[in-house]
Amino acid sequence: MSIVENLAQIKSSIPDKVSLVAVSKTKPDNLLEEAYQAGQRIFGENKVQELCGKFERLPKDIQWHMIGHLQSNKVKYIAPFVNLIHAVDSLKLAKEINKQAVKNNRTINVLLQIHIAEESAKFGFNQKEIFDLINSNEFNILKNINVCGLMGMATFTDNTSQITSEFKRLKSIFDQLKIQKYNPDHFKTLSMGMSGDYQIAIKEGSNMIRVGSAIFGKRG
Ligand SMILES: *Cc1c(COP(=O)(O)O)cnc(C)c1O
């Protein structure tokens, strides 16, 4: 199937209120242009250099999301234009994003990454760490970041019940934070679900999915 058909198929199978981030990492510009022609405006990348290059070359009304692990020393390159940073996983990174946002005279939208998977290799805060963070003064004085919600990645497995329970846990943390801490007008994005598990994620409350291979085909 073509990119256009893949996009149409995915869009018809998800509710309108769910945002679709087209994960275009490793893919050449012409494939992003095909998706753009089909109406796609939100693209996700996980490497700073690749993200900056595509931003320079592709249409200016694209909303660029940084979805991958982000090193603090690279924030400055994306700070002028990035629309949403999905994977804030340390206070240090949050501080650097805030600093670069101030320099660029803007507010940068971020999601906090929660570690929900069994695999230890994945980044993110655990439940205790996230509550400590959002209750800390050091974090709360960062006025140039807008905390829009949470992001998480489930374990890479065929075990549907495991994926379901990991997404349930993330949704429950999301709901608690929303009640305890955040204005629901700002804190409203729950980024969970990829090509292999976005249907489960939506069932469990996701309203932003990050889909790569199901749109653009397998990565080499
Ligand atoms: C690559 C990637 C995706 C998309 O993965 P697919 O399985 O190709 O849909 C989603 N989220 C993150 C953080 C990624 O790095």
Side-chain angles (χ1 to χ4, degrees):
M1 287 218 297
S2 69
I3 288 171
V4 175
E5 288 169 325
N6 290 340
L7 274 171
Q9 194 275 323
I10 293 166
K11 287 210 161 152
S12 70
S13 73
I14 65 175
D16 286 343
K17 65 175 193 325
V18 175
S19 307
L20 173 60
V21 180
V23 176
S24 47
K25 60 189 185 194
T26 78
K27 300 294 179 184
D29 292 359
N30 66 309
L31 298 190
L32 283 74
E33 277 160 358
E34 253 182 71
Y36 181 89
Q37 293 305 332
Q40 183 65 29
R41 290 295 180 272
I42 309 175
F43 290 86
E45 292 282 337
N46 72 340
K47 296 272 194 302
V48 166
Q49 200 177 357
E50 189 177 348
L51 176 55
C52 291
K54 286 173 173 170
F55 165 72
E56 292 293 333
R57 297 187 300 268
L58 292 165
K60 288 295 172 269
D61 63 339
I62 289 177
Q63 297 170 34
W64 292 103
H65 288 196
M66 175 66 197
I67 61 167
H69 180 64
L70 178 58
Q71 288 173 289
S72 298
N73 61 357
K74 295 193 174 159
V75 172
K76 57 178 176 285
Y77 302 113
I78 62 172
F81 67 89
V82 71
N83 186 263
L84 179 63
I85 296 175
H86 282 236
V88 173
D89 59 0
S90 70
L91 175 61
K92 181 182 173 214
L93 177 58
K95 282 180 173 172
E96 180 62 20
I97 295 169
N98 187 73
K99 181 177 152 190
Q100 296 300 331
V102 170
K103 271 195 185 167
N104 286 278
N105 197 19
R106 65 187 295 240
T107 300
I108 296 180
N109 296 323
V110 302
L111 304 176
L112 303 172
Q113 183 174 9
I114 307 294
H115 184 279
I116 52 170
E118 209 173 56
E119 296 121 339
S120 57
K122 286 186 177 151
F123 295 99
F125 298 101
N126 67 31
Q127 177 143 355
K128 175 173 188 309
E129 290 165 343
I130 195 68
F131 283 95
D132 288 349
L133 179 80
I134 63 139
N135 289 315
S136 75
N137 188 47
E138 275 192 292
F139 183 68
N140 287 311
I141 57 169
L142 305 176
K143 295 299 179 209
N144 284 60
I145 58 175
N146 179 25
V147 182
C148 303
L150 301 181
M151 177 271 206
M153 287 169 88
T155 302
F156 188 71
T157 173
D158 291 335
N159 185 340
T160 306
S161 68
Q162 182 177 350
I163 296 171
T164 302
S165 83
E166 291 176 359
F167 285 151
K168 273 192 201 302
R169 214 147 49 73
L170 181 53
K171 174 65 159 60
S172 143
I173 296 172
F174 178 72
D175 289 340
Q176 290 173 59
L177 288 181
K178 198 148 106 168
I179 291 165
Q180 271 196 21
K181 180 77 187 170
Y182 283 109
N183 177 342
D185 289 342
H186 294 286
F187 192 82
K188 59 187 176 195
T189 302
L190 183 54
S191 168
M192 62 181 194
M194 317 190 350
S195 293
D197 57 20
Y198 71 83
Q199 300 287 9
I200 303 172
I202 290 169
K203 212 162 129 231
E204 299 308 327
S206 169
N207 56 22
M208 182 173 282
I209 59 175
R210 310 176 309 272
V211 179
S213 46
I215 298 171
F216 297 106
K218 281 206 179 69
R219 288 176 296 273

